[in-house]
Amino acid sequence: MSSVEHDRSVLGAYALGALDPAEERAVHAHVSTCQECQRELAEFVDLRAALDQVPPEAFLDGPPDGGDLLLRNTLRRVRAEETPAPRRRGGLIAVAAAVVAAVALGGGIVIGRATAPEPATALPAGTISAEATDQTTGASMRVQVEPRAGWVWVNAFVDGVPAGEKCELVVVPREGDPLVAGSWVVSDKGAAEGLPLEGTALIPPGQVKEVRVDTLDGRTMVRVPL
Amino acid sequence: MASVAITGRRARRARQVPGEELVRSLYSEHGRSLLAYAIRLTNDRAAAEDVVQETLLRAWKHADDLRDNVGSVRGWLLTVARNIITDRARARAVRPTEVNQEIEAPAAQRDHADDVVNAMTVLGAMDRLSPDHRAVLVELYYRGRTVNETAAVLGIAPGTVKSRSYHAVRALRATLGQPGEVPR
Ligand SMILES: [Zn+2]
């Protein structure tokens, strides 16, 4: 076969290593004598390094073989993250008032009021009040549990929990599973000045054994027996 | 009874999850590519499927990032998948025998801190080629076919394969070699 004449259009395939061996030898023979081809080829060789960053799987299209179980599992995770399932049944109410101090997490708790007064003097009959300080964590809580028709309203004032802690207000019945009455992350202001909270729990009045502040990673900051 | 507590949850369940369509379409368009890539890197189908789930979940969470990304969506997804795999390998590096051989081999071949950007950039540049030129490049380079095989697969003359590959390579070179990006 005669040697290849100057034909730059073959340099692409040559640089990609796609010519058959005989043609590749011929092009090689020409390139070794042609500076113009050498210059262009040098750029193409650089390009190969860039092409090598892309894995060959990048050029497969469509869904995976074998049904859509993988898709369904993925969508389940999407929905789970979209709707964080409460671990326990618990009630939350957002307070319609000027709010400060706490950043509401997914569940929507309650949030301290800018004008939160000291506990009202006229509390509903059957309201139970208690407070406690945890000597280890230094956190303290003052809590009032007000009776409602089959459930309770919980007012709490939590102090001494460091900023950044993600907390939940846990209401523990004498029988059955604890309920989460709200969750929040402690702000700087909440850490410095304490944080008023309100929540609800579907526990019959008189059946509340204790109210706790737990962190989401499972540490109890303070426990108030009732 | 306790309507305050239940209402919110019921309402949220009934609502269509936003972004579910995004995940479905990413899966049907890129699922095969992602899974094949993850299987090669992990050598473990179950682990690879989990990587694909996690990748799509991140795409859903970072939909803005995905949309604004200058490279290709495919490149973004593959890059995220690889990062997940290497992060997990690193996290388990206390058990080197199990992980390092599989993972480190491909990583070592392309040991550039910026190849993440490059994979996305290169794919983005390839997306801007004409479909004809792109197809030739994919067959010749990524599928390892010869000029004649590619000609047969695409139903064109071998001479056309050569000229298209030349123009494809030049166009890519021009796109990727913007001034300042690839100093010579
Ligand atoms: Zn020449």
Side-chain angles (χ1 to χ4, degrees):
Chain A
M1 225 180 172
S2 66
S3 87
V4 175
E5 57 211 72
H6 182 73
D7 172 14
R8 299 192 329 194
S9 75
V10 81
L11 291 180
Y14 178 74
L16 298 175
L19 295 176
D20 69 52
E23 194 171 7
E24 185 173 273
R25 275 195 300 276
V27 172
H28 179 79
H30 167 77
V31 167
S32 59
T33 66
C34 176
Q35 290 199 350
E36 191 184 343
C37 281
Q38 283 170 20
R39 262 198 306 277
E40 186 148 36
L41 203 55
E43 295 193 352
F44 290 176
V45 170
D46 280 359
L47 184 67
R48 273 182 72 144
L51 294 178
D52 284 343
Q53 305 299 335
V54 178
E57 291 87 354
F59 304 99
L60 302 172
D61 291 318
D65 291 327
D68 63 352
L69 181 61
L70 178 53
L71 174 62
R72 278 183 277 136
N73 287 337
T74 307
L75 291 174
R76 193 173 302 135
R77 284 177 68 178
V78 167
R79 293 187 199 110
E81 300 227 356
E82 173 68 13
T83 309
R87 284 175 295 158
R88 292 150 290 194
R89 295 167 302 133
L92 301 176
I93 292 180
V95 174
V99 294
V100 293
V103 177
L105 291 181
I109 197 199
V110 179
I111 311 185
R113 295 184 218 201
T115 54
E118 284 300 294
T121 45
L123 292 167
T127 296
I128 300 169
S129 300
E131 60 185 270
T133 298
D134 187 299
Q135 299 303 326
T136 307
T137 66
S140 65
M141 176 163 57
R142 189 168 68 232
V143 64
Q144 293 163 354
V145 178
E146 300 178 17
R148 296 290 189 271
W151 51 285
V152 292
W153 183 284
V154 181
N155 294 308
F157 187 85
V158 177
D159 203 0
V161 179
E165 290 282 8
K166 293 171 181 168
C167 299
E168 53 190 32
L169 188 65
V170 180
V171 185
V172 185
R174 298 194 190 285
E175 285 177 36
D177 293 332
L179 304 182
V180 175
S183 54
W184 70 98
V185 59
V186 180
S187 65
D188 289 339
K189 184 173 161 72
E193 302 175 11
L195 180 63
L197 299 162
E198 298 175 8
T200 62
L202 184 53
I203 297 174
Q207 292 301 304
V208 177
K209 188 169 88 180
E210 68 178 22
V211 178
R212 299 198 306 257
V213 173
D214 287 355
T215 60
L216 293 195
D217 55 9
R219 291 166 290 133
T220 294
M221 301 304 292
V222 58
R223 177 194 310 271
V224 180
L226 295 169
Chain B
M1 168 165 101
S3 58
V4 283
I6 307 286
T7 310
R9 245 189 289 154
R10 193 178 283 149
R12 223 179 298 164
R13 285 239 174 97
R15 203 176 65 217
Q16 168 88 5
V17 174
E20 195 171 314
E21 279 313 304
L22 171 71
V23 172
R24 283 180 188 278
S25 79
L26 290 177
Y27 178 87
S28 65
E29 194 175 338
H30 307 287
R32 182 193 300 263
S33 172
L34 271 175
L35 184 60
Y37 182 53
I39 287 175
R40 177 163 64 83
L41 292 191
T42 61
N43 208 18
D44 177 341
R45 169 126 194 161
E49 291 198 353
D50 194 62
V51 168
V52 171
Q53 286 186 33
E54 182 68 29
T55 302
L56 293 173
L57 208 61
R58 288 192 194 181
W60 169 67
K61 287 180 182 169
H62 301 282
D64 291 348
D65 194 23
L66 192 65
R67 198 188 50 228
D68 299 339
N69 148 48
V70 294
S72 75
V73 169
R74 177 75 56 93
W76 191 95
L77 294 169
L78 292 169
T79 301
V80 167
R82 207 192 62 186
N83 290 346
I84 291 169
I85 291 166
T86 48
D87 286 351
R88 289 182 181 180
R90 215 170 281 139
R92 290 179 300 170
V94 285
R95 292 180 292 161
T97 51
E98 184 179 300
V99 182
N100 283 356
Q101 291 145 356
E102 302 297 344
I103 301 299
E104 294 301 336
Q109 285 171 7
R110 41 181 71 172
D111 190 20
H112 304 292
D114 61 345
D115 64 355
V116 161
V117 174
N118 287 346
M120 274 188 282
T121 315
V122 174
L123 273 174
M126 289 183 67
D127 286 347
R128 289 197 286 278
L129 295 175
S130 79
D132 286 346
H133 288 172
R134 188 179 190 276
V136 165
L137 188 62
V138 168
E139 296 299 330
L140 289 182
Y141 199 65
Y142 294 101
R143 301 205 168 124
R145 296 195 209 276
T146 65
V147 168
N148 288 332
E149 288 166 348
T150 299
V153 166
L154 298 179
I156 54 180
T160 309
V161 172
K162 287 180 198 167
S163 61
R164 282 184 187 171
S165 66
Y166 176 72
H167 289 296
V169 164
R170 277 180 61 99
L172 268 188
R173 174 72 200 159
T175 308
L176 292 170
Q178 303 294 347
E181 243 185 63
V182 182
R184 292 272 300 123

